[in-house]
């Protein structure tokens, strides 16, 4: 009971601080729209490229934009904890009888809220641009679930890094260093079928690719159930890993 | 009243070699205000972090209200409050929200939480600030709120780490009043750290002087001051090539004098500890003059904690 209340207390605090800055809310909702439009225009003619089994590039692109959103919003998820360490707030929290893990989980859950809003914006806008959701509303929820798993994994790693270094800078540097390669070593924006072998191999180790595959399966029925199952396993493992490593780093940093 | 904190040989080693805290043993009685007086980097915060269960000692132990910091951390958390050296608040929320946030972490909820929050807002006279964002507060108000948040669970022991660091004197005096009231009215045992002598002198019953992770002297504040006896005559010399020689020479010729209780070199000259300053001053001048020693200034002061500090560490705490 107290564990849940500790989570909800932390969740509440992080959520408040996210929605307290309307500029950030507006910007974070505008960003997916911008990407959809930009990439949509850029790659419009790609429907004839092998590997896109849809007549509508938007349906192909929307899942890619979703994972990009996760990457961009979760990579810097560790930074708030650095602020809390240097402001002494974390110490004040740790001196209470509240559960430590609740702090990590609560803050991760709070970031899911804005993430979900962003994903819904993509769904909404992409529908207007011609996306047809093969799996309907259930698919939307499942998409949220996969995207959430990816976000837990990435934000967990980001938090672990921030906690290990107690510094926001490595998070920014490493975050911006890996974001682009992770996107291009996956089929987020372009189908991997035409990519060089080494990229296809690299993609097998990329959680982004697994998310894209799963979401694309839900949106356009692309691929097969045999692709879907590994995605579930890999992403669940990745999320558990992210939470575990963040919790571990949290415990270590607070000793 | 009995002992409420007892630390034995607390030690914290960072990176496998640096001893931030080097075998601290200390005893605090229930109901008193106890102080750690020491310069920056002497290990005060590190000791507090161990006592408040925030950090595990590398070795040593401490018993707080009967609970072992190495074993009963959860029990200890329930009965202590900790006001940290930094801000320790969510700047993007209101003061009231901060109080509620910490209250909920202590699993106080509903009507009881509301009551406690209102009580603390009233106690610290924060009514006109409680519903504003903490980011807009002045340093003094922030500190008041921060101390209030550390009282939400009605602790028996309150740890105050540098409670008035960087605040101006008016605010400090105000915070001292709150601290004393908490101690007197509610009987909260207070353990504080400071590097302000006035603060230690004004608030503390007992004091430990700490330097480089070790306690160099513990005792009752009055007794410590009495130990220094009477007055301090400070001599300073011109900083020229004869500076060291002047100090050494003066020390030699004054050492034999019966009025001298103790003598210590300082950065700028010498401190002479004497029973009665006013009548000794002319004697000192005459002796030095007779030996042809030129002094730059001579001044007389009552012995303060600073002199206690100097005597035991060889350094001055105030700059
Ligand atoms: N987490 C840490 N890692 C390494 N060194 C530390 C750490 N925390 C404090 N120190 C060092 O330990 C010493 C004592 O610090 P601290 O306890 O903060 O002193 P004080 O509170 O008396 O100013 C300082 O030299 C400080 O740099
Ligand atoms: Mg300190």
């Amino acid at each position: 009971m107290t564990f849940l209340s500790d989570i909800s207390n932390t969740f509440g605090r992080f959520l408040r601080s996210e929605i307290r800055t309307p500029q950030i809310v507006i910007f974070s909702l505008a960003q997916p729209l911008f990407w959809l439009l930009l990439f949509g225009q850029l790659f419009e003619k790609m429907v004839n490229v092998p590997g896109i089994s849809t007549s509508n590039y938007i349906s192909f692109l929307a899942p890619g934009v979703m994972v990009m959103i996760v990457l961009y919003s979760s990579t810097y998820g560790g930074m708030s904890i650095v602020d809390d360490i240097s402001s002494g707030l974390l110490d004040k929290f740790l001196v209470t009888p509240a559960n430590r893990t609740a702090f990590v989980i609560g803050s991760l859950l709070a970031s899911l809220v804005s993430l979900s809003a962003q994903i819904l914006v993509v769904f909404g806008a992409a529908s207007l641009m011609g996306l047809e959701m093969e799996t309907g509303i259930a698919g939307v929820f499942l998409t949220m679930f996969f995207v959430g798993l990816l976000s837990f994994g990435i934000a967990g790693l980001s938090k672990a890094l921030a906690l290990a270094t107690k510094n926001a800078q490595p998070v920014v540097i490493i975050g911006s260093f890996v974001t682009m390669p992770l996107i291009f070593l996956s089929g987020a924006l372009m189908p991997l079928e035409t990519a060089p072998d080494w990229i296809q191999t690299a993609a097998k180790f990329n959680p982004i690719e697994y998310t894209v595959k799963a979401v694309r399966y839900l949106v356009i029925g692309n691929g097969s159930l045999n692709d879907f199952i590994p995605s579930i396993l890999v992403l669940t493992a990745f999320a558990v890993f992210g939470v575990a490593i963040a919790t571990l780093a949290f415990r270590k940093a607070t000793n | 009243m009995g002992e409420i904190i007892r630390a034995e040989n607390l030690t914290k080693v960072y990176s496998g070699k640096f001893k931030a805290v080097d075998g601290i043993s200390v005893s605090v009685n229930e109901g008193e205000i106890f102080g750690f007086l020491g310069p920056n980097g002497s290990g005060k915060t590190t000791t507090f972090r161990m006592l408040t269960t925030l950090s595990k000692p590398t070795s040593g132990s401490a018993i707080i209200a009967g609970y072992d910091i190495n074993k009963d951390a959860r029990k200890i958390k329930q009965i202590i409050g900790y006001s940290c050296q930094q801000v320790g608040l969510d700047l993007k929320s209101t003061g009231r929200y901060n109080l509620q946030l910490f209250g909920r972490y202590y699993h106080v909820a509903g009507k009881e939480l509301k009551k406690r929050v209102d009580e603390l807002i009233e106690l610290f006279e924060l009514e006109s600030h409680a519903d504003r964002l903490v980011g807009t507060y002045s340093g003094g108000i922030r500190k008041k709120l921060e101390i209030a948040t550390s009282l939400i669970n009605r602790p028996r022991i309150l740890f105050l780490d540098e409670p008035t660091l960087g605040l101006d004197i008016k605010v400090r005096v105000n915070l001292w009043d709150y601290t004393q009231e908490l101690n007197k009215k509610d009987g909260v045992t207070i353990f504080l750290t400071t590097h302000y002598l006035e603060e230690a002198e004004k608030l503390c019953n007992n004091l430990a002087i700490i330097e480089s992770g070790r306690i160099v002297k513990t005792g009752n504040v009055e007794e410590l001051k009495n130990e220094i006896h009477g007055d301090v005559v400070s001599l300073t010399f011109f900083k020229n090539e004869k500076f060291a020689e002047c100090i050494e020479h003066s020390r030699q010729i004054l050492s034999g004098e019966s009025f001298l209780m103790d003598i210590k070199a300082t950065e700028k000259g010498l401190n002479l500890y004497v029973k009665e300053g006013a009548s000794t001053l002319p004697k000192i001048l005459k002796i030095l003059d007779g030996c042809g020693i030129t002094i730059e200034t001579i001044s007389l002061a009552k012995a303060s904690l600073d002199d206690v500090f100097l005597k035991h560490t060889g350094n001055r705490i105030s700059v």
Side-chain angles (χ1 to χ4, degrees), chain A residues 166 253 255, chain B residues 12-15 18-21 36-49 85 161-162 193-195 210 212-213:
Chain A
K166 297 205 170 84
N255 246 333
Chain B
K12 183 78 186 186
V13 180
Y14 283 120
S15 319
F18 175 67
K19 277 192 180 168
V21 173
F36 256 175
L37 176 66
N40 270 332
S42 55
K44 303 184 295 294
T45 299
T46 308
T47 308
F48 263 31
R49 290 177 56 82
Q85 192 178 331
D161 196 1
E162 310 249 9
T193 78
T194 184
H195 63 263
I210 168 170
S212 309

Side-chain angles (χ1 to χ4, degrees), chain B residues 151-212:
Chain B
L151 290 170
I152 201 108
N153 59 327
R154 302 180 196 277
R156 279 172 71 189
I157 309 167
L158 177 62
F159 289 87
L160 296 173
D161 196 1
E162 310 249 9
T164 66
L165 184 69
L167 300 177
D168 64 48
I169 187 67
K170 252 179 84 180
V171 181
R172 279 162 75 186
V173 171
N174 185 242
L175 279 168
W176 291 346
D177 291 342
Y178 283 110
T179 311
Q180 282 177 322
E181 199 178 308
L182 271 172
N183 177 251
K184 289 223 175 65
K185 269 174 83 180
D186 303 332
V188 181
T189 304
I190 294 174
F191 193 167
L192 61 86
T193 78
T194 184
H195 63 263
Y196 294 128
L197 295 154
E198 317 90 282
E199 187 158 283
E201 233 173 307
K202 166 97 183 159
L203 290 178
C204 300
N205 311 111
N206 290 302
L207 199 62
I209 294 175
I210 168 170
E211 197 196 43
S212 309

Side-chain angles (χ1 to χ4, degrees), chain B residues 12 19 26 34 65 93 108 147 159 206 227 273 288:
Chain B
K12 183 78 186 186
K19 277 192 180 168
V26 72
F34 189 94
S93 298
V108 184
I147 295 178
F159 289 87
N206 290 302
E227 188 189 302
Y273 297 90
L288 292 178

Side-chain angles (χ1 to χ4, degrees), chain B residues 84 128 154 225 289 303:
Chain B
C84 65
S128 56
R154 302 180 196 277
K225 280 201 297 185
D289 202 41

